[in-house]
Amino acid sequence: MSKRLLFFTNFDIVLLGSDHMKLKKNELKIIQLLLASPDYISTYDIATSTGIPRRLVRDEISNVRVILSSLNLNLLSKPSKGYFIEGKSSKDLSRLQNIINDNERDENNVFPTLPKDRRNYIAKRLIEEASYIKLETFANELLVSRPTVANDVLLLKKDIHKYGLTLIQKPNYGISIQGSEISKRKVLADWVFENLTQSDMFGDFLDAYFNSPDYQIIEIINQHQIIMSDISLIDFLICFSIAIARNTINHTIDSPIANFEQFKDRFEYATAKELGKYVQERFKIDFNEYEIQNITILLICKRSSRGLSASHDDNVITIANEILARIKAETLITFDTDKLFRILSLYIENTLIRQAYVEKIRTPVYENIQYEYPLPYHLASIASATIQQHSKIKLSRSELSAFTILFNNAINNQNKKKKKVLLINCMSGSMFTLHRYRIETELAAQLVITKYTQYYRINEEDLSNYDLIISSVPIRKQLSIPVINTSYMITNDDIIRIKSYLSYLFNDEDLVYYFHPYLYSSNVKVKSKKGVASTFYHLLTCLYPNLKDTFKYELNKQHRYTLNTFNNVIGLIKLNKPINANNNIVAITLNEPILFDQQQMQVIILFSCLDNNNIMYNTLFNTLKNVANNELDVKKLLSHLSYPEFLSVIKNNK
């Protein structure tokens, strides 16, 4: 049987020692593999079983041939078959084995010296052997004291507890790891994945599949239209290879997967059964029904949501609706696309499945994602709290990252939504066609002409179906939606003016995305500019804990910012140099007005954005000007509003 992929359960531990014949690590690996093989073994299988890049295997084989020759052993090679050690007399094999044993203790080889590596070694041995092993045995193997091993074991006990595994210590017998087979495989999968570099994953691992018979595994997955990211595919293949390796040594899953009946009609189950047939043919291993069930769960948990319809699970739909409702209530952000609901429901469904079966997504966890995407992260936190409320499940960091990216993409898509246009043109025929064609061609990314009509029929239209009107007929009466008047024959100036207005409209609507609940505070009690600066700093550090405290002194330097005031009530401070790459608007309302640079204000807005064209700034400027001119809204702002109430006042005056 081929030994491909079994190296993923091997942490390549080599122990200290010495011998008159020194072997390099790769030479040692290849010789051990050749000795264990009853038949020829190919270059590909050597590479995948040892972790040595294929491009290096042939060079290492040349060295191995010389070493074996010095021991009266011959390395045979056959095209398409590989390599095999000839002349395995008991005497020669004994010599070779002694050399291997000595080299396994060679100080120049890699061996576990760090506590974490020693714990990995101990756990691997216990999981593979499934028997009691004495601490003294580990101490001798690792060349450390028994107390050191005892301390490693205490820490290991904590490491494996989160997997539902128990470390048992029995007098005169030693220690053993007890628990389900699935849990043991999760330990191996986690540690293997942690020890793979990006180069290992894509260069030496995934690339190896493309030129191997085992590419059929990927083809089976593709044929069933299961879409995975590259990392998720690697993750699945690692888990799959571990399942093969464990079955090889008769460590099988011997009980049904809990609540599996609900998945038997899914195509992932059919895919798993086909993969089981492949394993039987390729590796002469019979996956039992419980192994097939486990593979099904892995496929469900690792697959992408692309191409899937929205979840039909009532509980999932309830959670998704509540998440969107809470987001709207807390941030005034609305997502009106069916696509987002579909993706969100699938995210929730897969999250619940992963948590139920203690599976994970191995997407990179972005350490600073909450600082780089503060608003999407806040929306993800709302989703997490809602899911936890309904299911008692707390999202992991990787799950939270995935939801953050989901909401970030949703916000970006929302902002890019095309405007629905009612086109009015007084001309007909070719002139009208030219007019319409130029608008549709040059502004296709920003708008879509939903309908065209004549001026005299405008009263027949339900204007709520459109975002704006573009008209070659001068329209001077007040309508419920914006109007852009153009020339009879549309000009370059008309196109520029429409683009400019659309930019304003887009950003006008986007204003809500620039605020953040953590960057708002009401009824603030300060008496000076210094107090305002400290308040801004305190709020910003809620999102950006690494913000330098020198920021508190920025407002002492008037050349660092621009100040505008509106009706001695609202102050707008624009930083000339943004605090970071994010767009941030910090808002505070004071319990009483103060003098700031000799100007009175009680509502103070700090604008810190990468806004080279001043589009957002101008939008905010005009919005605050409108608020200040509305006596009722001013009273609202000064009444210590909640964040949604404050944002509602801003939004209604855009």
Side-chain angles (χ1 to χ4, degrees):
M1 189 197 87
S2 172
K3 298 186 184 301
R4 72 165 318 281
L5 295 183
L6 303 192
F7 81 97
F8 281 111
T9 62
N10 187 341
F11 296 108
D12 297 322
I13 306 297
V14 184
L15 308 179
L16 274 174
S18 62
D19 186 74
H20 61 280
M21 180 179 287
K22 304 286 186 182
L23 300 179
K24 295 178 181 178
K25 183 181 177 182
N26 287 347
E27 295 168 353
L28 181 64
K29 286 184 184 180
I30 292 173
I31 291 172
Q32 288 175 312
L33 185 63
L34 289 168
L35 276 176
S37 178
D39 202 353
Y40 285 83
I41 183 167
S42 68
T43 301
Y44 166 75
D45 283 339
I46 291 173
T48 55
S49 298
T50 62
I52 302 170
R54 291 183 69 188
R55 63 184 182 276
L56 300 179
V57 168
R58 295 188 184 280
D59 292 338
E60 298 293 351
I61 284 288
S62 298
N63 299 333
V64 167
R65 193 186 301 275
V66 173
I67 293 167
L68 294 176
S69 178
S70 68
L71 300 171
N72 299 318
L73 296 170
N74 188 27
L75 183 63
L76 301 181
S77 62
K78 286 187 178 181
S80 303
K81 294 190 70 175
Y83 304 93
F84 179 73
I85 296 179
E86 185 186 52
K88 297 180 182 178
S89 71
S90 58
K91 181 181 177 182
D92 293 330
L93 287 177
S94 178
R95 285 182 61 199
L96 180 58
Q97 190 60 57
N98 287 336
I99 291 170
I100 290 172
N101 291 341
D102 288 338
N103 271 270
E104 284 181 338
R105 287 180 165 79
D106 196 303
E107 62 183 2
N108 294 318
N109 284 303
V110 177
F111 70 100
T113 57
L114 299 174
K116 184 178 180 181
D117 294 334
R118 290 198 303 268
R119 297 199 302 272
N120 288 352
Y121 175 85
I122 294 168
K124 174 185 172 292
R125 288 265 276 118
L126 292 172
I127 290 174
E128 285 186 346
E129 297 193 15
S131 61
Y132 286 91
I133 301 176
K134 292 183 178 180
L135 296 188
E136 290 79 2
T137 302
F138 287 121
N140 292 331
E141 291 176 355
L142 296 167
L143 297 181
V144 295
S145 66
R146 191 183 184 284
T148 298
V149 173
N151 188 60
D152 291 335
V153 168
L154 283 175
L155 294 173
L156 177 62
K157 197 171 186 177
K158 295 179 181 178
D159 290 345
I160 64 174
H161 178 72
K162 62 185 178 184
Y163 296 93
L165 298 172
T166 306
L167 196 147
I168 305 296
Q169 194 160 2
K170 192 174 180 180
N172 301 320
Y173 285 86
I175 58 174
S176 168
I177 289 179
Q178 297 184 9
S180 72
E181 172 62 20
I182 290 178
S183 296
K184 292 176 181 178
R185 293 183 189 183
K186 293 184 193 302
V187 173
L188 294 174
D190 277 354
W191 288 343
V192 168
F193 203 89
E194 287 172 7
N195 284 281
L196 287 177
T197 66
Q198 190 174 12
S199 177
D200 292 333
M201 285 192 286
F202 293 96
D204 297 333
F205 177 55
L206 200 54
D207 278 353
Y209 270 91
F210 299 134
N211 300 308
S212 78
D214 294 312
Y215 185 70
Q216 189 175 342
I217 296 171
I218 300 175
E219 284 195 326
I220 292 171
I221 293 171
N222 289 336
Q223 286 165 5
H224 287 266
Q225 298 183 329
I226 296 176
I227 301 171
M228 298 184 187
S229 68
D230 287 334
I231 291 181
S232 292
L233 177 61
I234 292 168
D235 187 3
F236 172 78
L237 292 172
I238 288 172
C239 295
F240 193 61
S241 68
I242 289 173
I244 296 172
R246 296 292 288 174
N247 273 263
T248 305
I249 54 179
N250 298 317
H251 291 305
T252 62
I253 300 172
D254 57 7
S255 59
I257 305 299
N259 303 314
F260 186 78
E261 287 299 316
Q262 61 183 311
F263 303 117
K264 280 199 170 182
D265 292 332
R266 293 183 59 144
F267 57 88
E268 290 94 345
Y269 182 56
T271 310
K273 289 197 286 187
E274 191 170 339
L275 288 171
K277 289 180 182 178
Y278 173 81
V279 168
Q280 185 179 27
E281 295 171 0
R282 173 85 164 106
F283 303 104
K284 307 301 184 264
I285 296 172
D286 287 325
F287 271 179
N288 63 31
E289 170 60 17
Y290 308 144
E291 293 283 356
I292 299 299
Q293 291 180 7
N294 186 53
I295 297 299
T296 303
I297 297 299
L298 288 172
L299 288 169
I300 292 171
C301 292
K302 309 301 180 187
R303 67 158 303 153
S304 165
S305 58
R306 264 193 301 162
L308 296 177
S309 58
S311 173
H312 300 292
D313 185 290
D314 290 341
N315 184 44
V316 170
I317 292 171
T318 298
I319 295 173
N321 281 322
E322 188 171 327
I323 288 171
L324 295 177
R326 287 186 61 181
I327 287 174
K328 182 179 180 179
E330 295 181 28
T331 67
L332 302 191
I333 293 174
T334 58
F335 300 105
D336 55 4
T337 63
D338 292 336
K339 182 180 178 182
L340 174 66
F341 186 86
R342 177 183 66 81
I343 297 173
L344 178 60
S345 67
L346 290 170
Y347 265 56
I348 296 167
E349 184 176 64
N350 284 353
T351 295
L352 294 176
I353 293 172
R354 281 192 291 267
Q355 297 299 319
Y357 294 100
V358 202
E359 282 296 336
K360 62 177 67 174
I361 47 173
R362 300 186 192 278
T363 54
V365 176
Y366 304 105
E367 297 293 337
N368 298 318
I369 194 166
Q370 65 264 46
Y371 312 133
E372 295 179 7
Y373 303 97
L375 183 59
Y377 184 83
H378 180 67
L379 304 187
S381 299
I382 292 174
S384 177
T386 308
I387 292 170
Q388 187 171 0
Q389 183 181 343
H390 281 265
S391 64
K392 312 302 180 187
I393 291 171
K394 184 179 181 181
L395 263 60
S396 66
R397 291 167 64 213
S398 57
E399 297 277 5
L400 199 55
S401 289
F403 274 91
T404 300
I405 295 167
L406 165 67
F407 285 116
N408 183 67
N409 292 340
I411 289 172
N412 290 336
N413 290 334
Q414 192 90 340
N415 296 347
K416 294 175 182 177
K417 186 171 60 176
K418 293 183 179 182
K419 297 301 178 185
K420 293 180 288 186
V421 172
L422 174 64
L423 183 63
I424 298 176
N425 193 284
C426 60
M427 296 174 289
S428 60
S430 59
M431 289 294 291
F432 170 72
T433 302
L434 176 64
H435 191 90
R436 179 179 179 180
Y437 176 79
R438 187 165 186 195
I439 292 174
E440 289 182 326
T441 303
E442 299 199 35
L443 301 168
Q446 295 114 311
L447 57 79
V448 57
I449 296 176
T450 306
K451 187 177 179 180
Y452 57 90
T453 190
Q454 291 77 35
Y455 176 72
Y456 72 87
R457 302 183 68 176
I458 194 170
N459 291 332
E460 300 173 11
E461 294 294 332
D462 181 359
L463 298 184
S464 65
N465 294 325
Y466 313 100
D467 294 305
L468 73 153
I469 295 171
I470 296 178
S471 175
S472 63
V473 181
I475 299 177
R476 295 184 175 87
K477 62 182 178 181
Q478 190 71 30
L479 297 176
S480 59
I481 60 173
V483 176
I484 302 177
N485 292 310
T486 67
S487 310
Y488 291 130
M489 181 177 286
I490 198 163
T491 65
N492 289 334
D493 288 342
D494 288 328
I495 295 294
I496 293 171
R497 192 153 47 83
I498 295 171
K499 283 183 177 180
S500 177
Y501 191 76
L502 286 174
S503 294
Y504 171 80
L505 278 179
F506 271 87
N507 285 281
D508 196 315
E509 293 181 353
D510 295 348
L511 196 60
V512 67
Y513 301 112
Y514 286 72
F515 289 87
H516 193 289
Y518 290 178
L519 301 182
Y520 169 74
S521 185
S522 66
N523 198 26
V524 176
K525 298 177 182 177
V526 297
K527 297 183 180 298
S528 64
K529 178 196 284 191
K530 184 179 179 181
V532 170
S534 295
T535 302
F536 283 152
Y537 174 76
H538 173 73
L539 292 173
L540 284 164
T541 52
C542 293
L543 289 184
Y544 314 112
N546 296 325
L547 181 67
K548 295 180 179 178
D549 62 2
T550 54
F551 168 80
K552 290 186 287 187
Y553 308 108
E554 287 293 296
L555 300 186
N556 290 332
K557 307 168 183 176
Q558 291 191 19
H559 67 281
R560 299 284 183 90
Y561 63 88
T562 303
L563 174 66
N564 286 281
T565 59
F566 309 96
N567 288 350
N568 292 320
V569 178
I570 300 175
L572 174 59
I573 303 169
K574 179 180 181 292
L575 294 180
N576 296 334
K577 183 181 179 181
I579 60 170
N580 55 31
N582 290 329
N583 298 316
N584 300 291
I585 298 176
V586 192
I588 62 174
T589 62
L590 310 182
N591 68 328
E592 58 184 35
I594 66 166
L595 282 178
F596 190 110
D597 292 351
Q598 309 306 312
Q599 300 187 61
Q600 182 173 289
M601 60 190 73
Q602 194 169 352
V603 179
I604 309 176
I605 311 289
L606 179 71
F607 181 89
S608 171
C609 296
L610 299 171
D611 186 34
N612 295 331
N613 296 320
N614 286 325
I615 293 174
M616 271 312 302
Y617 177 74
N618 291 336
T619 303
L620 182 60
F621 183 98
N622 293 328
T623 300
L624 296 178
K625 185 178 178 181
N626 292 339
V627 174
N629 290 328
N630 188 317
E631 187 177 345
L632 181 60
D633 283 337
V634 170
K635 286 181 179 179
K636 287 181 181 178
L637 286 184
L638 300 180
S639 64
H640 317 312
L641 300 177
S642 66
Y643 174 74
E645 291 170 335
F646 165 82
L647 202 57
S648 180
V649 173
I650 300 296
K651 190 175 181 181
N652 292 336
N653 281 275
K654 60 185 180 62

